[in-house]
Amino acid sequence: MKAPKDYIVFPLDVPDARQAMIYVSALKDHVGLFKVGLELFISQGPEILKAIREVAGRRVFLDLKLHDIPATVIRAFRAASAYQPEFVTVHCDEGDQILREVAENNLGNTKILAITVLTSLNARKLHALGYAQTYVDDLSALVLLKARMAREAGCQGVVCSGLEVARIKQEVGRDLIAVTPGIRPAWSVVDQDDQKRIVTPGQAVKNGADYVVIGRPIRDAKDPPQAARQVAEEIASALS
Ligand code: C5P
């Protein structure tokens, strides 16, 4: 059975292996997964995945947010999956063919998470990017369109905000894994930042999130393990 802490994904958004491993050692008993993003993977290379796995004893979430022409993304995905991460992320924005081809060429057991609409985007930004008014007025409709595309293509999950997850679970499918960043507990010390579509950990899980990505509220807390425990308690009470 999944424990409340297993819902927590901690992003290792730090510049080097030394700092990353300090967080891995401190948080390994308090979070479910560690996420390696572009900063750490580019600076440290694949060795960091091995180091985390050795200390934490579990597979890593490799958040590369792949976005390019299909042939390039497929080759990059294949190279990434050779490290056997739990998840690799691919953007939906090139269309359904890329997602389908990645899913068809996924020969290992890495799960593909499709990025729908980044939680740093809001209606104003969609308008500036030239999106149709329908989606500017109802951003969740755009998230839903991309989630449907990802599911039909054979992706195992999506990344969306905690605001859209209930509709995705209802209208696209309960078994589609929903990973939700943009998590801000009520007690969070993080105030003005780049995340726009935010919810609390309890709300995200109540809405159906399978994982909550929560970085700065834990990382910037005075006592990160205590902050992670507090998030897990909030998740436990949301589930009960
Ligand atoms: O909680 P915090 O805002 O610090 O989390 C930041 C992390 O969430 C980064 O690693 C970022 O890549 C990730 N993220 C994501 N998808 C989004 C928005 C943020 O994976 N749509």
Side-chain angles (χ1 to χ4, degrees), residues 100-233:
R100 186 162 293 114
E101 287 189 31
V102 173
E104 281 168 4
N105 284 280
N106 183 12
L107 304 177
N109 56 7
T110 294
K111 298 181 188 85
I112 306 161
L113 293 180
I115 306 286
T116 58
V117 178
L118 292 173
T119 47
S120 53
L121 290 176
N122 58 11
R124 193 179 53 77
K125 288 191 177 179
L126 289 190
H127 175 75
L129 287 167
Y131 275 85
Q133 196 60 37
T134 332
Y135 297 126
V136 174
D137 293 341
D138 181 12
L139 191 150
S140 64
L142 182 61
V143 176
L144 227 70
L145 174 95
K146 295 187 183 190
R148 243 183 227 114
M149 184 193 287
R151 189 200 168 98
E152 282 163 15
C155 297
Q156 284 79 17
V158 291
V159 181
C160 62
S161 92
L163 297 172
E164 296 107 25
V165 65
R167 268 185 86 182
I168 289 180
K169 290 281 176 170
Q170 255 162 30
E171 297 178 36
V172 186
R174 301 237 155 252
D175 55 339
L176 192 68
I177 298 168
V179 176
T180 59
I183 302 296
R184 292 292 175 263
W187 47 263
S188 176
V189 291
V190 180
D191 42 31
Q192 285 296 316
D193 63 35
D194 51 356
Q195 299 283 22
K196 302 289 182 221
R197 301 189 334 273
I198 60 172
V199 300
T200 64
Q203 199 58 55
V205 167
K206 260 193 201 143
N207 290 352
D210 298 290
Y211 294 94
V212 292
V213 178
I214 170 157
R216 283 165 284 188
I218 292 177
R219 198 183 69 212
D220 297 347
K222 270 199 203 101
D223 181 348
Q226 168 56 22
R229 280 196 297 272
Q230 213 171 325
V231 172
E233 276 163 26

Side-chain angles (χ1 to χ4, degrees), residues 87-104:
F87 296 116
V88 168
T89 46
V90 180
H91 268 283
C92 284
D93 288 348
E94 207 278 335
D96 61 338
Q97 186 210 340
I98 203 165
L99 299 174
R100 186 162 293 114
E101 287 189 31
V102 173
E104 281 168 4

